[in-house]
Amino acid sequence: MAHSVRRDAPELPDFSLLKRLARDQLIYLLEQLPGRKDLFIEADLMSPLDRIANVTTLKQHDVDKLYKVEYKPIVSTSDQLCFLIRPRIKTVKWICDVVNADKAFGRFRRYKIIFSPQKFYACENLLEEQGIFGDVTTDEWSFYLLPLDDDIISLELPEFFRDNFLEGDQRWVRTAGSALHLLHSVYGPFSKVYGIGRCSK
């Protein structure tokens, strides 16, 4: 455990609530596609997902098979496909290829894309450009914070440092702000606030 052992230290908040909120929202989103379905998961979401909802939990909510996104033709025979992905153009383009391949073969399926933690206009625009915007439903899994220990929580955004600090792309600032808002909503106002850097204002 990483937390303080001082007797006068304040009691730590129960961060397991964040896991429960994330799990409940994910289950709700999966149930929006009723019936048996196959779930495709982007690689860097697999480990966080395992901490939130294990395979047993997913199967209890009609997830039949799980696949890792591998950017190649799929082998699923399910009539319903759900994609749990980051809002990345490469991944969305692959999904477009999957849907268009099915259409070319006359295969009818239902498709749902769950973006985590948010969807971007560029992703939806690509769906429209590729002619499948009306063939898929999209949603957001607002998975902002992952508790790693009693006193450690992680944003789980592998691109944040590169995009924000190296490339000056501030698209993830909204996500960071939403994470802080979630903490405020669940645990109450922050007793102390410090800001560092040009984005701290």
Side-chain angles (χ1 to χ4, degrees), residues 148-195:
L148 300 178
D149 206 335
D150 288 351
D151 59 351
I152 301 174
I153 50 179
S154 170
L155 267 176
E156 294 297 307
L157 285 178
E159 288 112 333
F160 184 88
F161 181 83
R162 183 198 66 205
D163 289 353
N164 194 72
F165 293 103
L166 301 183
E167 298 181 2
D169 183 347
Q170 298 185 1
R171 60 182 173 162
W172 297 113
V173 171
R174 175 193 154 199
T175 301
S178 296
L180 293 174
H181 179 72
L182 175 64
L183 288 175
H184 182 277
S185 300
V186 175
Y187 301 106
F190 302 106
S191 58
K192 294 181 181 179
V193 178
Y194 301 94

Side-chain angles (χ1 to χ4, degrees), residues 87-103:
R88 295 174 179 142
I89 293 297
K90 178 183 178 182
T91 312
V92 176
K93 178 62 170 65
W94 170 74
I95 294 173
C96 292
D97 292 342
V98 168
V99 176
N100 282 325
D102 282 349
K103 290 166 74 172

Side-chain angles (χ1 to χ4, degrees), residues 140-151:
E140 291 180 333
W141 181 32
S142 304
F143 170 46
Y144 297 127
L145 294 165
L146 176 66
L148 300 178
D149 206 335
D150 288 351
D151 59 351

